[in-house]
Every structure is written in C-alpha cells, then in structure tokens.
Coordinates of all heavy atoms in Angstrom, one line a residue:
M1 N 28.1 24.2 -24.5 CA 27.3 23.6 -23.5 C 26.3 22.6 -24.1 O 25.7 23.0 -25.1 CB 26.5 24.7 -22.7 CG 25.6 24.2 -21.7 SD 24.4 25.2 -21.1 CE 24.8 26.1 -19.8
T2 N 26.1 21.5 -23.5 CA 25.2 20.5 -24.1 C 24.1 20.2 -23.0 O 24.4 20.1 -21.9 CB 26.0 19.1 -24.3 OG1 27.1 19.4 -25.2 CG2 25.1 18.1 -24.9
L3 N 22.9 20.2 -23.6 CA 21.8 19.9 -22.7 C 21.1 18.7 -23.2 O 20.7 18.6 -24.3 CB 20.8 21.1 -22.8 CG 19.5 21.0 -22.0 CD1 19.8 20.9 -20.5 CD2 18.6 22.2 -22.2
L4 N 21.0 17.7 -22.3 CA 20.3 16.4 -22.6 C 19.0 16.4 -21.8 O 19.0 16.6 -20.6 CB 21.1 15.2 -22.3 CG 22.5 15.1 -23.0 CD1 23.3 14.0 -22.4 CD2 22.2 14.9 -24.5
L5 N 17.9 16.1 -22.5 CA 16.6 15.9 -21.9 C 16.1 14.5 -22.1 O 16.2 14.0 -23.2 CB 15.6 16.9 -22.4 CG 15.9 18.4 -22.3 CD1 14.9 19.3 -23.0 CD2 16.0 18.8 -20.8
A6 N 15.7 13.9 -21.0 CA 15.1 12.6 -21.1 C 13.6 12.6 -21.0 O 13.1 13.4 -20.3 CB 15.7 11.7 -20.0
N7 N 13.0 11.8 -21.9 CA 11.5 11.8 -21.8 C 11.0 10.6 -21.1 O 10.5 9.6 -21.6 CB 11.0 11.8 -23.3 CG 9.5 11.9 -23.3 OD1 8.9 12.2 -22.3 ND2 8.9 11.5 -24.4
Q8 N 11.3 10.6 -19.8 CA 10.9 9.5 -18.9 C 9.9 10.1 -17.8 O 10.1 11.2 -17.3 CB 12.0 8.9 -18.2 CG 12.9 8.0 -19.1 CD 13.9 7.3 -18.2 OE1 14.6 7.9 -17.4 NE2 14.0 6.0 -18.4
A9 N 8.9 9.3 -17.5 CA 8.0 9.7 -16.5 C 8.6 9.5 -15.1 O 9.3 8.4 -14.9 CB 6.7 8.9 -16.6
A10 N 8.4 10.4 -14.2 CA 8.9 10.2 -12.8 C 7.8 9.8 -11.9 O 6.7 10.4 -12.0 CB 9.6 11.5 -12.3
F11 N 8.0 8.8 -11.1 CA 6.9 8.3 -10.2 C 7.4 8.4 -8.8 O 8.5 8.2 -8.5 CB 6.5 6.9 -10.6 CG 5.9 6.8 -11.9 CD1 6.7 6.3 -13.0 CD2 4.6 7.1 -12.1 CE1 6.1 6.2 -14.2 CE2 4.0 7.0 -13.4 CZ 4.8 6.5 -14.5
A12 N 6.4 8.7 -7.9 CA 6.7 8.8 -6.5 C 6.7 7.4 -5.9 O 6.2 6.4 -6.5 CB 5.7 9.7 -5.8
Q13 N 7.1 7.3 -4.6 CA 7.0 6.0 -3.9 C 5.6 5.7 -3.4 O 4.9 6.6 -3.2 CB 8.0 6.1 -2.7 CG 9.1 5.1 -2.8 CD 10.0 5.2 -1.6 OE1 9.8 6.0 -0.7 NE2 10.9 4.2 -1.5
L14 N 5.3 4.4 -3.3 CA 4.1 4.0 -2.7 C 4.0 4.5 -1.2 O 5.0 4.4 -0.5 CB 4.1 2.5 -2.7 CG 2.8 1.7 -2.4 CD1 1.7 2.0 -3.4 CD2 3.1 0.3 -2.3
E15 N 2.9 5.0 -0.8 CA 2.7 5.4 0.6 C 1.9 4.3 1.3 O 0.9 3.9 0.8 CB 2.0 6.7 0.6 CG 2.8 7.9 0.0 CD 1.9 9.2 0.0 OE1 0.8 9.2 0.5 OE2 2.5 10.1 -0.6
V16 N 2.3 4.0 2.5 CA 1.6 3.0 3.3 C 1.3 3.5 4.7 O 2.0 4.3 5.2 CB 2.4 1.6 3.4 CG1 2.5 1.0 2.0 CG2 3.7 1.8 4.0
T17 N 0.2 3.0 5.3 CA -0.2 3.4 6.6 C -0.6 2.1 7.3 O -1.5 1.4 6.8 CB -1.4 4.3 6.6 OG1 -1.1 5.5 5.8 CG2 -1.7 4.8 8.0
Q18 N 0.0 1.7 8.4 CA -0.3 0.5 9.1 C -1.7 0.7 9.7 O -2.1 1.7 10.2 CB 0.7 0.2 10.2 CG 2.0 -0.3 9.7 CD 2.9 -0.8 10.8 OE1 2.5 -0.9 12.0 NE2 4.1 -1.1 10.5
E19 N -2.5 -0.4 9.7 CA -3.8 -0.5 10.3 C -4.1 -1.9 10.7 O -4.0 -2.8 9.9 CB -4.9 0.0 9.3 CG -6.3 -0.1 9.9 CD -6.5 0.7 11.1 OE1 -6.3 2.0 11.1 OE2 -6.8 0.1 12.2
S20 N -4.4 -2.2 12.0 CA -4.6 -3.5 12.4 C -6.1 -3.8 12.8 O -6.4 -4.9 13.2 CB -3.7 -3.9 13.6 OG -4.0 -2.9 14.7
D21 N -7.0 -2.8 12.6 CA -8.4 -3.0 12.9 C -9.0 -3.7 11.7 O -9.2 -3.2 10.6 CB -9.0 -1.6 13.1 CG -10.5 -1.7 13.5 OD1 -11.2 -2.6 13.0 OD2 -10.9 -0.8 14.3
A22 N -9.4 -5.0 11.9 CA -9.9 -5.9 10.9 C -11.2 -5.3 10.3 O -11.4 -5.4 9.1 CB -10.2 -7.3 11.5
E23 N -12.0 -4.7 11.1 CA -13.3 -4.1 10.6 C -13.0 -3.0 9.6 O -13.7 -2.9 8.6 CB -14.2 -3.6 11.8 CG -15.5 -3.2 11.3 CD -16.6 -3.9 12.1 OE1 -16.4 -4.9 12.8 OE2 -17.8 -3.4 12.0
K24 N -12.1 -2.1 10.0 CA -11.8 -1.0 9.1 C -11.2 -1.5 7.7 O -11.6 -1.0 6.7 CB -10.7 0.0 9.7 CG -11.2 0.9 10.8 CD -10.1 1.8 11.3 CE -10.6 2.6 12.4 NZ -9.5 3.5 13.0
L25 N -10.4 -2.5 7.8 CA -9.8 -3.0 6.6 C -10.9 -3.7 5.7 O -10.9 -3.5 4.5 CB -8.7 -4.0 6.9 CG -7.4 -3.4 7.5 CD1 -6.6 -4.5 8.1 CD2 -6.7 -2.6 6.5
A26 N -11.8 -4.5 6.4 CA -12.8 -5.1 5.6 C -13.8 -4.2 5.0 O -14.2 -4.3 3.9 CB -13.6 -6.1 6.6
K27 N -14.1 -3.1 5.7 CA -15.0 -2.1 5.2 C -14.4 -1.4 4.0 O -15.1 -1.1 3.0 CB -15.4 -1.1 6.2 CG -16.4 -1.6 7.2 CD -16.8 -0.5 8.3 CE -17.8 -1.1 9.2 NZ -18.2 -0.1 10.2
A28 N -13.1 -1.1 4.0 CA -12.5 -0.5 2.9 C -12.4 -1.5 1.7 O -12.5 -1.1 0.5 CB -11.0 -0.1 3.3
F29 N -12.4 -2.8 2.0 CA -12.3 -3.8 0.9 C -13.6 -4.0 0.2 O -13.7 -4.0 -1.0 CB -11.8 -5.1 1.5 CG -11.6 -6.2 0.5 CD1 -10.6 -6.1 -0.4 CD2 -12.5 -7.3 0.4 CE1 -10.4 -7.1 -1.4 CE2 -12.3 -8.3 -0.5 CZ -11.3 -8.2 -1.4
V30 N -14.7 -4.0 1.0 CA -16.0 -4.3 0.4 C -16.7 -3.1 -0.2 O -17.5 -3.2 -1.1 CB -17.0 -5.0 1.4 CG1 -16.4 -6.3 1.8 CG2 -17.3 -4.1 2.6
G31 N -16.4 -1.9 0.3 CA -16.9 -0.7 -0.3 C -18.2 -0.2 0.4 O -18.6 -0.8 1.4
I32 N -18.7 0.8 -0.1 CA -19.9 1.5 0.5 C -21.2 0.7 0.2 O -21.3 0.1 -0.9 CB -20.1 2.9 -0.2 CG1 -18.8 3.7 0.2 CG2 -21.3 3.6 0.3 CD1 -18.7 5.1 -0.6
G33 N -22.1 0.7 1.2 CA -23.4 0.0 1.1 C -23.4 -1.4 1.5 O -24.5 -2.1 1.5
L34 N -22.3 -2.0 1.8 CA -22.2 -3.4 2.3 C -21.9 -3.4 3.8 O -21.1 -2.6 4.3 CB -21.2 -4.2 1.5 CG -21.5 -4.3 0.0 CD1 -20.4 -5.0 -0.7 CD2 -22.8 -5.1 -0.2
E35 N -22.4 -4.3 4.5 CA -22.2 -4.4 6.0 C -21.1 -5.5 6.3 O -21.1 -6.5 5.7 CB -23.5 -4.8 6.7 CG -23.4 -4.7 8.2 CD -24.7 -5.0 8.8 OE1 -25.8 -4.5 8.3 OE2 -24.7 -5.6 9.9
V36 N -20.3 -5.1 7.2 CA -19.2 -6.1 7.7 C -19.5 -6.4 9.1 O -19.8 -5.5 9.9 CB -17.8 -5.4 7.6 CG1 -16.8 -6.3 8.2 CG2 -17.5 -5.1 6.1
S37 N -19.4 -7.7 9.5 CA -19.6 -8.1 10.9 C -18.6 -9.2 11.2 O -18.3 -10.0 10.3 CB -21.0 -8.5 11.2 OG -21.4 -9.6 10.4
N38 N -18.2 -9.3 12.4 CA -17.2 -10.3 12.9 C -16.0 -10.4 12.1 O -15.5 -11.6 11.8 CB -18.0 -11.7 12.9 CG -19.2 -11.6 13.9 OD1 -19.1 -11.0 14.9 ND2 -20.2 -12.3 13.5
A39 N -15.4 -9.3 11.6 CA -14.2 -9.4 10.9 C -13.0 -9.8 11.8 O -12.9 -9.4 12.9 CB -13.9 -8.0 10.2
T40 N -12.2 -10.6 11.3 CA -11.0 -11.0 12.0 C -9.8 -10.8 11.1 O -9.9 -10.9 9.8 CB -11.0 -12.5 12.5 OG1 -11.2 -13.3 11.3 CG2 -12.2 -12.7 13.4
L41 N -8.6 -10.7 11.6 CA -7.4 -10.5 10.9 C -6.3 -11.4 11.4 O -6.1 -11.4 12.6 CB -7.0 -9.0 11.0 CG -5.7 -8.6 10.3 CD1 -5.8 -8.7 8.8 CD2 -5.3 -7.1 10.7
T42 N -5.7 -12.2 10.6 CA -4.6 -13.1 11.0 C -3.4 -12.7 10.1 O -3.3 -13.1 9.0 CB -5.0 -14.5 10.8 OG1 -6.2 -14.8 11.5 CG2 -3.9 -15.5 11.3
C43 N -2.5 -12.0 10.7 CA -1.2 -11.7 10.0 C -0.3 -11.1 11.0 O -0.6 -10.8 12.1 CB -1.5 -10.7 8.8 SG -1.9 -9.0 9.4
P44 N 1.0 -11.1 10.6 CA 2.0 -10.6 11.6 C 1.7 -9.1 12.1 O 1.1 -8.4 11.3 CB 3.3 -10.6 10.8 CG 3.1 -11.5 9.7 CD 1.6 -11.4 9.4
E45 N 2.2 -8.8 13.2 CA 2.0 -7.4 13.7 C 2.7 -6.4 12.7 O 3.8 -6.7 12.2 CB 2.7 -7.2 15.0 CG 2.5 -5.8 15.6 CD 3.1 -5.7 17.0 OE1 3.2 -6.8 17.7 OE2 3.6 -4.6 17.4
G46 N 1.9 -5.4 12.3 CA 2.4 -4.5 11.3 C 2.3 -5.0 9.8 O 2.8 -4.3 8.9
G47 N 1.6 -6.1 9.7 CA 1.5 -6.7 8.3 C 0.2 -6.3 7.6 O -0.1 -6.9 6.5
S48 N -0.5 -5.3 8.1 CA -1.7 -4.9 7.4 C -1.9 -3.4 7.4 O -1.4 -2.7 8.3 CB -2.9 -5.6 8.0 OG -3.0 -5.2 9.4
G49 N -2.6 -2.9 6.5 CA -2.9 -1.5 6.4 C -3.4 -1.0 5.1 O -3.9 -1.8 4.3
F50 N -3.2 0.2 4.8 CA -3.7 0.9 3.6 C -2.5 1.3 2.7 O -1.5 1.6 3.3 CB -4.6 2.1 3.9 CG -5.8 1.7 4.7 CD1 -5.8 1.9 6.1 CD2 -6.9 1.1 4.1 CE1 -7.0 1.6 6.8 CE2 -8.0 0.8 4.9 CZ -8.1 1.0 6.2
F51 N -2.7 1.4 1.4 CA -1.7 2.0 0.6 C -2.3 3.0 -0.3 O -3.5 3.0 -0.7 CB -1.0 0.9 -0.3 CG -1.8 0.3 -1.4 CD1 -1.8 0.9 -2.6 CD2 -2.5 -0.8 -1.2 CE1 -2.6 0.4 -3.7 CE2 -3.2 -1.4 -2.2 CZ -3.3 -0.8 -3.5
N52 N -1.5 4.0 -0.7 CA -1.8 5.0 -1.7 C -0.9 4.9 -2.8 O 0.3 5.2 -2.6 CB -1.8 6.4 -1.0 CG -2.2 7.5 -2.0 OD1 -2.0 7.4 -3.2 ND2 -2.7 8.6 -1.5
G53 N -1.3 4.6 -4.0 CA -0.5 4.4 -5.2 C -0.8 5.5 -6.2 O -0.5 5.3 -7.4
E54 N -1.5 6.5 -5.8 CA -2.0 7.5 -6.8 C -0.9 8.1 -7.7 O -1.1 8.3 -8.9 CB -2.7 8.7 -6.0 CG -3.3 9.7 -7.0 CD -4.1 10.8 -6.2 OE1 -4.1 10.8 -5.0 OE2 -4.6 11.6 -6.9
F55 N 0.3 8.4 -7.1 CA 1.3 9.0 -7.9 C 2.5 8.0 -8.2 O 3.6 8.4 -8.4 CB 1.9 10.2 -7.1 CG 0.8 11.2 -6.8 CD1 0.3 11.4 -5.6 CD2 0.3 12.0 -7.9 CE1 -0.6 12.4 -5.3 CE2 -0.7 12.9 -7.6 CZ -1.2 13.1 -6.3
T56 N 2.1 6.8 -8.4 CA 3.0 5.7 -8.8 C 2.6 5.1 -10.1 O 1.5 5.5 -10.7 CB 3.1 4.6 -7.8 OG1 1.8 3.9 -7.8 CG2 3.3 5.1 -6.4
N57 N 3.4 4.2 -10.7 CA 3.0 3.6 -11.9 C 2.3 2.2 -11.6 O 2.2 1.4 -12.5 CB 4.2 3.4 -12.8 CG 5.3 2.5 -12.2 OD1 5.2 2.2 -11.0 ND2 6.3 2.1 -13.0
L58 N 1.8 2.0 -10.4 CA 1.2 0.8 -10.0 C -0.1 0.6 -10.8 O -0.5 -0.6 -11.1 CB 0.9 0.8 -8.5 CG 0.3 -0.4 -7.9 CD1 1.1 -1.6 -8.0 CD2 0.0 -0.1 -6.4
G59 N -0.9 1.6 -11.1 CA -2.1 1.5 -11.8 C -3.3 1.3 -10.8 O -4.5 1.1 -11.3
I60 N -3.1 1.4 -9.5 CA -4.2 1.3 -8.5 C -4.0 2.5 -7.6 O -2.9 2.6 -7.0 CB -4.1 0.0 -7.7 CG1 -4.2 -1.2 -8.7 CG2 -5.2 -0.1 -6.7 CD1 -3.9 -2.6 -8.0
N61 N -5.0 3.3 -7.4 CA -4.8 4.5 -6.6 C -4.7 4.2 -5.1 O -4.0 4.9 -4.4 CB -5.9 5.5 -6.9 CG -5.8 6.2 -8.2 OD1 -4.7 6.1 -8.9 ND2 -6.8 6.8 -8.7
E62 N -5.5 3.3 -4.6 CA -5.5 3.0 -3.2 C -6.1 1.7 -2.9 O -6.8 1.1 -3.8 CB -6.3 4.1 -2.4 CG -7.7 4.2 -2.8 CD -8.5 5.3 -2.1 OE1 -7.8 6.2 -1.5 OE2 -9.7 5.3 -2.1
G63 N -5.8 1.1 -1.7 CA -6.4 -0.1 -1.4 C -5.8 -0.6 0.0 O -5.2 0.2 0.7
I64 N -6.1 -1.9 0.3 CA -5.6 -2.4 1.5 C -4.4 -3.3 1.2 O -4.3 -3.8 0.1 CB -6.7 -3.3 2.3 CG1 -7.1 -4.5 1.5 CG2 -7.8 -2.4 2.7 CD1 -8.0 -5.4 2.3
A65 N -3.5 -3.5 2.2 CA -2.3 -4.3 2.0 C -2.3 -5.3 3.1 O -2.4 -5.0 4.3 CB -1.1 -3.4 2.0
L66 N -2.1 -6.6 2.7 CA -1.9 -7.7 3.7 C -0.6 -8.3 3.3 O -0.4 -8.8 2.2 CB -3.0 -8.6 3.6 CG -4.4 -8.1 3.8 CD1 -5.5 -9.1 3.5 CD2 -4.6 -7.5 5.2
C67 N 0.3 -8.4 4.3 CA 1.7 -8.9 4.0 C 2.1 -10.0 4.9 O 1.6 -10.1 6.1 CB 2.7 -7.7 4.1 SG 2.3 -6.3 3.1
S68 N 3.1 -10.7 4.5 CA 3.7 -11.7 5.4 C 4.7 -11.1 6.3 O 5.1 -11.7 7.3 CB 4.3 -12.9 4.5 OG 5.3 -12.3 3.7
G69 N 5.2 -9.9 5.9 CA 6.1 -9.2 6.8 C 5.4 -8.0 7.3 O 4.3 -8.0 7.8
T70 N 6.1 -6.8 7.2 CA 5.4 -5.6 7.6 C 5.2 -4.7 6.3 O 6.0 -4.7 5.4 CB 6.3 -4.8 8.6 OG1 7.5 -4.3 8.0 CG2 6.5 -5.6 9.8
I71 N 4.1 -3.9 6.3 CA 3.9 -3.1 5.2 C 4.8 -2.0 5.0 O 5.0 -1.4 4.0 CB 2.4 -2.6 5.1 CG1 2.1 -1.6 6.3 CG2 1.4 -3.7 5.1 CD1 0.8 -0.9 6.1
D72 N 5.6 -1.6 6.1 CA 6.6 -0.6 6.0 C 7.7 -1.0 5.0 O 8.4 -0.1 4.5 CB 7.3 -0.3 7.3 CG 6.3 0.3 8.3 OD1 5.3 0.9 7.9 OD2 6.5 0.1 9.5
E73 N 7.8 -2.2 4.6 CA 8.8 -2.7 3.7 C 8.3 -2.6 2.2 O 9.1 -2.8 1.3 CB 9.3 -4.1 4.0 CG 10.0 -4.2 5.3 CD 10.3 -5.6 5.7 OE1 9.6 -6.6 5.2 OE2 11.2 -5.9 6.6
M74 N 7.0 -2.4 2.1 CA 6.4 -2.4 0.7 C 6.9 -1.3 -0.2 O 7.2 -1.6 -1.4 CB 4.9 -2.2 0.8 CG 4.2 -3.5 1.2 SD 2.4 -3.3 1.3 CE 2.0 -3.0 -0.4
P75 N 7.1 0.0 0.2 CA 7.5 1.0 -0.7 C 8.8 0.8 -1.4 O 9.1 1.3 -2.5 CB 7.6 2.3 0.2 CG 6.6 2.0 1.3 CD 6.8 0.5 1.6
G76 N 9.7 0.0 -0.8 CA 11.0 -0.3 -1.4 C 12.0 0.8 -1.0 O 11.8 1.5 0.0
P77 N 13.2 0.8 -1.5 CA 13.5 -0.1 -2.7 C 13.6 -1.5 -2.2 O 14.0 -1.8 -1.1 CB 14.9 0.4 -3.1 CG 15.5 1.0 -1.9 CD 14.4 1.5 -1.1
N78 N 13.2 -2.4 -3.1 CA 13.1 -3.8 -2.7 C 14.4 -4.6 -3.0 O 14.5 -5.4 -3.8 CB 12.0 -4.5 -3.4 CG 10.7 -3.9 -3.0 OD1 10.4 -3.7 -1.8 ND2 9.8 -3.6 -4.0
D79 N 15.5 -4.1 -2.3 CA 16.8 -4.7 -2.5 C 17.4 -5.2 -1.2 O 18.6 -5.5 -1.2 CB 17.7 -3.6 -3.1 CG 17.9 -2.4 -2.3 OD1 17.3 -2.3 -1.2 OD2 18.6 -1.4 -2.8
E80 N 16.6 -5.4 -0.2 CA 17.1 -5.9 1.1 C 16.9 -7.4 1.2 O 15.7 -7.8 1.0 CB 16.3 -5.2 2.2 CG 16.8 -5.6 3.6 CD 16.0 -4.9 4.7 OE1 15.6 -3.7 4.5 OE2 15.8 -5.5 5.7
S81 N 17.9 -8.1 1.4 CA 17.7 -9.6 1.5 C 17.0 -9.9 2.8 O 17.2 -9.3 3.8 CB 19.0 -10.3 1.4 OG 19.6 -10.4 2.6
G82 N 16.0 -10.8 2.7 CA 15.3 -11.2 3.9 C 14.0 -10.3 4.1 O 13.2 -10.6 5.0
A83 N 13.8 -9.3 3.3 CA 12.5 -8.5 3.4 C 11.4 -9.4 3.0 O 11.4 -10.2 2.0 CB 12.6 -7.3 2.5
T84 N 10.3 -9.4 3.7 CA 9.1 -10.3 3.5 C 7.9 -9.6 3.1 O 6.8 -10.2 3.0 CB 8.9 -11.1 4.7 OG1 8.6 -10.3 5.8 CG2 10.1 -12.0 5.1
A85 N 7.9 -8.3 2.8 CA 6.6 -7.6 2.5 C 6.2 -8.0 1.1 O 6.9 -8.4 0.3 CB 6.8 -6.1 2.5

C-alpha cells in the first residue's frame, strides 16, 4: 500500500452577498467614525455587494465588491466565457 501526502494549502471559495443600498456600501468602505451622505450607486443590477475572503488566499478578509456584471459570478470558477464579474 502506498500513501502519498501533498503539502498544499486548501482554500475555500470567496463568499459574496448582493447589496444595492449605496449608503450601506459607502459606510462599509469609509469605516467607523466617518459620515456618509447622498451616496449613489451606478452599476448593473446585482453588480454590488459585500465579499468575505477570510478563508481564501485572497489576502483580504472582507470588503465591498463593485462589478460590471453580477457579483454572483465572482467566486468562480472563472471559466465561463462571457462572464463579466
């Protein structure tokens, strides 16, 4: 019997949540202690939201996502022709 072990890190997929409220996105972007007013959002429907990259190799734990397509296409696998995220 042969046992092979690979020393590779396993990473989970990026998690995304759609959000179209410009004020919520702006507040998440600027952080605590700053005020946001008159926020507007110009992007396709479903093209904005939040991401969680904590268990990925992205190097960024969380943030906002603004896409030319929909953020649902962000996690991948990025092998679909015509995907615009």
Side-chain angles (χ1 to χ4, degrees):
M1 180 199 267
T2 303
L3 177 63
L4 298 174
L5 298 175
N7 186 14
Q8 284 186 313
F11 295 101
Q13 241 181 355
L14 189 68
E15 296 174 3
V16 295
T17 306
Q18 285 189 9
E19 178 59 63
S20 59
D21 185 323
E23 187 128 346
K24 284 183 186 178
L25 292 166
K27 284 181 179 180
F29 184 71
V30 299
I32 298 170
L34 298 173
E35 188 175 320
V36 173
S37 62
N38 299 324
T40 60
L41 179 64
T42 305
C43 67
E45 185 176 329
S48 60
F50 299 101
F51 72 86
N52 180 333
E54 182 176 4
F55 300 109
T56 68
N57 62 350
L58 182 60
I60 304 171
N61 286 347
E62 61 184 15
I64 64 170
L66 303 173
C67 302
S68 59
T70 65
I71 66 167
D72 292 335
E73 296 172 341
M74 285 182 61
N78 297 317
D79 58 1
E80 181 181 326
S81 87
T84 59

